[in-house]
Amino acid sequence: MTLDLLGFIALSIIAIVSAVMMIASRHAVYSALFLVLNFATIAVLYLLLNAPFIALVQITVYAGAIMVLFLFVIMLLGVERVEESPGLPYQGPVAIGLGFALVLLFGFALLPRGEGAMGQIAEGFGSPAAVGRLLFDRYLVPFEITSVLLLVAMVGAIYLAGVPSRKEAE
Amino acid sequence: MNVPTDYVIGLSAILFVLGVLGVLVRRNAIVIFMSVELMLNAGNLAFIAFARSFEALSGQVFAFFVIAVAAAEVAVGLALIVTIHRARQSIDVDEVRALHG
């Protein structure tokens, strides 16, 4: 039981418990905060997997922008006070059983491949310079398309938010 | 970190299944959306783990694109939820399942 494995197990427990609490919490703000904890834990896992740039992108974009957006909308709509309608009575246990079956299915599909231990890694793997070189070299077209995608999303969100038309003002 | 790749993929699978459970069991549209984000993160974790295992940086670049696309999707999805709430005064997916109106 090396220190690496102990650290990984501790992080996995935090990630899984925060995910379960996110799903089970009846209060939407608590769910969002548990999800922030989950994202931060996954970011630490990225750090340990030699991906420092992606770890900080995760914290900046996911925990810092997306979850803030979620909290804005939760508080804007005031839905944290809303009681959820009761679902089908047996839905909980059946869902947990089927979820367990899905995990077993993943296990059967992935484990025989047996990737095994991770080898040594080059210095500077996953550094911003290395990822940036790939982004602007091999993956330049997807990078530019992503920027167009973000523009489209911004236009769509503004339109859906309902810019009042001039006719209504008259 | 010298952890077998299988363990990290196992964690990714568990988180993915937890996301699926959240989508299936909850009826609050925002919590469903957050469970979808959990699923995306589980997929990202698998990408990063394999990038480390095969020493292929393309996995990290793809995870970067997944994060960017998720950000765009959240913007539009939350705008949709706000619009639906404005029209129906409810975001319970059991109550707003009719497409008309």
Side-chain angles (χ1 to χ4, degrees):
Chain A
M1 194 60 100
T2 67
L3 196 61
D4 280 339
L5 195 59
L6 277 175
F8 172 73
I9 289 178
L11 282 172
S12 327
I13 291 179
I14 297 176
I16 292 175
V17 167
S18 61
V20 170
M21 291 303 297
M22 188 267 296
I23 298 172
S25 179
R26 291 288 138 191
H27 201 277
V29 177
Y30 290 168
S31 288
L33 293 177
F34 275 121
L35 194 60
V36 172
L37 176 62
N38 190 56
F39 287 164
T41 311
I42 291 185
V44 175
L45 274 172
Y46 289 172
L47 270 178
L48 293 175
L49 285 169
N50 290 97
F53 177 60
I54 304 295
L56 289 186
V57 166
Q58 163 100 351
I59 292 203
T60 307
V61 173
Y62 252 120
I66 292 180
M67 289 318 297
V68 169
L69 204 55
F70 266 111
L71 282 168
F72 274 171
V73 171
I74 290 174
M75 294 183 189
L76 173 74
L77 301 184
V79 292
E80 73 264 15
R81 295 181 249 111
V82 170
E83 259 307 309
E84 261 185 36
S85 59
L88 305 163
Y90 50 82
Q91 194 177 22
V94 168
I96 293 178
L98 288 177
F100 201 64
L102 189 56
V103 173
L104 286 180
L105 191 67
F106 278 142
F108 281 132
L110 293 172
L111 282 184
R113 209 172 299 277
E115 291 304 325
M118 301 191 183
Q120 285 298 95
I121 206 95
E123 193 66 36
F125 180 82
S127 67
V131 178
R133 190 164 299 134
L134 256 189
L135 261 180
F136 288 103
D137 189 346
R138 270 180 69 187
Y139 297 105
L140 182 61
V141 176
F143 181 74
E144 299 295 337
I145 293 177
T146 304
S147 70
V148 174
L149 175 75
L150 289 171
L151 173 70
V152 167
M154 191 162 49
V155 169
I158 290 176
Y159 176 73
L160 280 171
V163 180
S165 81
R166 304 232 176 259
K167 292 205 182 94
E168 288 173 8
E170 290 167 16
Chain B
M1 180 169 72
N2 230 342
V3 168
T5 316
D6 290 338
Y7 291 11
V8 188
I9 301 303
L11 172 67
S12 164
I14 292 176
L15 287 177
F16 186 84
V17 169
L18 283 174
V20 171
L21 276 180
V23 171
L24 291 179
V25 173
R26 296 298 298 262
R27 273 164 308 289
N28 189 340
I30 293 187
V31 176
I32 291 178
F33 209 179
M34 287 198 282
S35 304
V36 172
E37 294 304 314
L38 185 61
M39 284 197 268
L40 283 170
N41 264 279
N44 262 353
L45 183 61
F47 269 122
I48 302 288
F50 279 128
R52 167 76 171 86
S53 170
F54 296 138
E55 206 169 342
L57 213 47
S58 303
Q60 298 191 5
V61 172
F62 206 92
F64 179 83
F65 286 134
V66 170
I67 292 178
V69 169
E73 163 208 356
V74 165
V76 175
L78 285 178
L80 272 173
I81 290 179
V82 166
T83 310
I84 289 177
H85 185 264
R86 202 182 289 162
R88 306 282 184 99
Q89 268 68 49
S90 164
I91 56 171
D92 189 322
V93 295
D94 274 349
E95 292 179 19
V96 297
R97 51 185 165 192
L99 206 56
H100 67 81

